[in-house]
Amino acid sequence: MIWQQFPCSFEFNEEFLVLLFEHTYSSQFGTFLCNNEKERKECKLSSRTVSLWTYLARPEVLQKYLNPMYDPNPRVIWPSVAPQSLVLWSGLYQRSIIDQSKQKEAWQEVSKIREYDKELRSKVTKLRRQLASLEREALGVGLILPSELGVDCIPE
């Protein structure tokens, strides 16, 4: 499965893919009913059913399906099709026999760590801006000389 080969390249997690699979056949939402747009209009699905996408677009729902390891990748990803790279999608086909609770706990912990990392990076950026501002101010009033500034702290 391509998601297993490139887990950081997808914005949504495996639960999202399983949800799409389940709702393709469940008919709980009108999204996957009928064969084409003409049939959907004839059946008046837009007024008689709710779209899965409308449900998923709600922030409190969508948050559950975001991949905490997502890192946008502008390059093309080339999945391996070698036989040893192809594995059974246990998250879908073995979900009734494999306890997923430990894996969910691990992903929640990863999510917390990534969020904390974002907070720390934001603080670092803010502190660097403050430092640069203070250095410019100190240069302006003659408290320090340009040669006394650090290499990575050149004022803007």
Side-chain angles (χ1 to χ4, degrees), residues 55-72:
Y55 167 73
L56 289 172
R58 296 174 24 212
E60 67 274 11
V61 174
L62 187 61
Q63 188 64 34
K64 177 182 175 186
Y65 299 108
L66 294 177
N67 178 2
M69 296 300 293
Y70 176 60
D71 187 20

Side-chain angles (χ1 to χ4, degrees), residues 80-121:
S80 171
V81 293
Q84 63 270 25
S85 299
L86 304 176
V87 295
L88 177 70
W89 184 9
S90 60
L92 176 65
Y93 296 111
Q94 295 178 327
R95 67 185 185 268
S96 61
I97 59 173
I98 295 177
D99 181 18
Q100 302 278 335
S101 63
K102 295 295 181 191
Q103 185 176 9
K104 285 182 183 180
E105 285 178 32
W107 279 111
Q108 288 173 345
E109 193 62 31
V110 166
S111 184
K112 288 177 189 175
I113 291 168
R114 292 285 291 211
E115 196 59 39
Y116 185 61
D117 181 61
K118 274 188 210 173
E119 289 174 22
L120 291 176
R121 288 178 187 272

Side-chain angles (χ1 to χ4, degrees), residues 28 51 81 114 121 125 128 135:
Q28 181 179 357
S51 167
V81 293
R114 292 285 291 211
R121 288 178 187 272
T125 302
R128 284 186 176 154
E135 287 177 340

Side-chain angles (χ1 to χ4, degrees), residues 19-85:
L19 178 92
L20 291 179
F21 173 85
E22 289 173 343
H23 286 293
T24 301
Y25 298 102
S26 75
S27 302
Q28 181 179 357
F29 296 94
T31 306
F32 301 111
L33 297 176
C34 299
N35 289 323
N36 54 47
E37 192 59 32
K38 181 183 177 220
E39 287 181 12
R40 286 184 192 88
K41 286 182 182 178
E42 288 172 358
C43 293
K44 300 177 183 168
L45 289 180
S46 62
S47 62
R48 297 172 65 196
T49 64
V50 176
S51 167
L52 175 61
W53 309 120
T54 302
Y55 167 73
L56 289 172
R58 296 174 24 212
E60 67 274 11
V61 174
L62 187 61
Q63 188 64 34
K64 177 182 175 186
Y65 299 108
L66 294 177
N67 178 2
M69 296 300 293
Y70 176 60
D71 187 20
N73 179 3
R75 298 181 311 255
V76 175
I77 54 176
W78 295 97
S80 171
V81 293
Q84 63 270 25
S85 299

Side-chain angles (χ1 to χ4, degrees), residues 3-17:
W3 191 88
Q4 290 172 329
Q5 290 183 26
F6 302 96
C8 297
S9 293
F10 294 93
E11 186 172 359
F12 301 100
N13 61 22
E14 187 177 30
E15 279 186 71
F16 181 79
L17 298 175

